[in-house]
Amino acid sequence: MSSQEPELQLLIATNRRIRKHRPDLVLDDTLDDQLHLLQCQFSTGYAITLPPVVTVPDGPPQDPPKRQGFKRKTQRVAKRWARSFRGAVGSKIPGVQLAVVEEHQQAACLQHLVDHNNDTPWLFFLHGNNQTLADSIKVCRQIQRYYRVNVFLFSWPSRSYNPRSIPHLLASALMMTHPATRIVARLTALKSVYDRHAQYRAARQLAEHTVAHLQQAMQLFGQHILKPLQRRGVAVNLLVHSLGHYLLLLMLQRENVAFDFQFGAGLLHQADIDVDDIAPLLQRLTLVNPQQVYLTHNKKDYALFLSGLWNNRLQPKKAYSRAGNGLSDWELDVPDLHGAQVIDLTGRRHVGFNHGIVWQEPIDKISKAQFSQVINHSQRNINNDNSP
């Protein structure tokens, strides 16, 4: 083994709709009827060489563009700002090359990754709500930078928020300062809140239609990556975030769902499911070693605070009803957690109101050390390491 650190890999299994847009591969925020496997290569160079991207030659020289009017320029600037705010949905991701692995080539591709793994840990990552593909790839890169793991990302069209909702809220806050515009301000704020609520409901509906694809991705990962690497003693673990827990719970509730493999450890990060659903989830979570399941909890999590309101008809008393922010208010018997352990992050340095604490920047050293032990946890030390 060379003295250099091994190259890290990022694979993406997704049911986002793929559109071929020369010379780029474009994925949008709509649901496809099949699962796609993508290889991801960054401009810095990765171990797997992807097929070269065919560039389209320039056409004949054209006349200089006509001068655009003020209205046209304003529309172009607004569209460009909206695309950048939404994380470049449906457009090329700068510095990233994606290539589709055809179904008949998937086994050989994954076998190649296993053969050249160099004992680097792998992480199956299921993201949550309001994530474009570009956002998810950025998060994966941050996880790789912190924890030095290969990542198998399951990316589903969780629908990013309308970029106009935040400007509407800011505008309504400014208009509230003057009595003549307060009515308009309240209407604008209500419209923004309604848009966000509608997006959240749409994301939950998309999760319900994604269950079969998640099960298919789990089987693909388990058979071709997890089992071969665990036989060699390599750490292969699970990370689930936010609304991804709802999708995971729906999959585990299906009939005849059984896996013949098991992750070494699992980190259930800021779960966006009802507190009462955490016990059924843990009971069905047989695909993770029950003694190595960890739940994170941040009572100040702003996203889960809003989710508690969305899921309970805006009742303030239910704002802390999610598993990621309401465990401290829930009387739990030890058997209900089925051996899982809680990592309480409330009040820690740099945590604050954050929702993605595992990859946030900056990150508390103690929290990072705990997360690292779970994410890099190997089957070899399960029997003698029972603390995060």
Side-chain angles (χ1 to χ4, degrees), residues 150-186:
N150 299 313
V151 177
F152 188 99
L153 167 68
F154 181 77
S155 179
W156 55 287
S158 56
R159 290 291 173 89
S160 58
Y161 286 122
N162 187 337
R164 297 178 182 177
S165 60
I166 290 182
H168 285 172
L169 284 175
L170 295 176
S172 64
L174 292 174
M175 289 188 292
M176 285 291 289
T177 61
H178 197 283
T181 57
R182 281 178 184 170
I183 295 178
V184 177
R186 290 172 182 172

Side-chain angles (χ1 to χ4, degrees), residues 241-242 269-270 272 298 301-304 353-357 359:
H241 182 237
S242 189
H269 183 43
Q270 296 306 105
D272 187 7
N298 178 22
D301 190 318
Y302 79 95
L304 297 184
F353 303 97
N354 288 326
H355 186 52
I357 304 167
W359 52 84

Side-chain angles (χ1 to χ4, degrees), residues 361-376:
E361 190 173 8
I363 187 171
D364 177 57
K365 291 183 179 180
I366 298 177
S367 302
K368 182 181 176 182
Q370 287 182 301
F371 297 149
S372 180
Q373 279 194 278
V374 181
I375 291 174
N376 293 282

Side-chain angles (χ1 to χ4, degrees), residues 278-296:
I278 194 65
L281 172 64
L282 294 172
Q283 183 179 8
R284 292 179 171 87
L285 196 61
T286 57
L287 56 83
V288 181
N289 186 304
Q291 300 303 318
Q292 298 298 330
V293 178
Y294 300 89
L295 306 166
T296 66

Side-chain angles (χ1 to χ4, degrees), residues 214-285:
L214 175 60
Q215 184 176 353
Q216 183 181 350
M218 282 275 190
Q219 290 287 5
L220 181 69
F221 178 80
Q223 297 300 325
H224 297 284
I225 293 183
L226 185 147
K227 292 172 71 174
L229 289 180
Q230 282 188 342
R231 285 194 290 266
R232 290 161 43 180
V234 178
V236 185
N237 302 310
L238 174 68
L239 172 62
V240 185
H241 182 237
S242 189
L243 197 61
H245 293 83
Y246 178 64
L247 176 54
L248 178 64
L249 178 61
L250 292 177
M251 184 193 72
L252 298 175
Q253 288 175 339
R254 299 185 80 190
E255 296 182 359
N256 302 323
V257 174
F259 300 98
D260 60 348
F261 55 85
Q262 194 175 66
F263 290 93
L267 183 60
L268 308 183
H269 183 43
Q270 296 306 105
D272 187 7
I273 56 175
D274 196 89
V275 169
D276 294 332
D277 290 332
I278 194 65
L281 172 64
L282 294 172
Q283 183 179 8
R284 292 179 171 87
L285 196 61

Side-chain angles (χ1 to χ4, degrees), residues 323-354:
N325 73 342
L327 286 177
S328 60
D329 297 331
W330 193 43
E331 294 297 331
L332 276 177
D333 295 328
V334 176
D336 289 335
L337 287 179
H338 299 275
Q341 303 177 45
V342 178
I343 303 176
D344 193 359
L345 305 169
T346 307
R348 287 195 184 180
R349 188 181 181 189
H350 303 310
V351 172
F353 303 97
N354 288 326

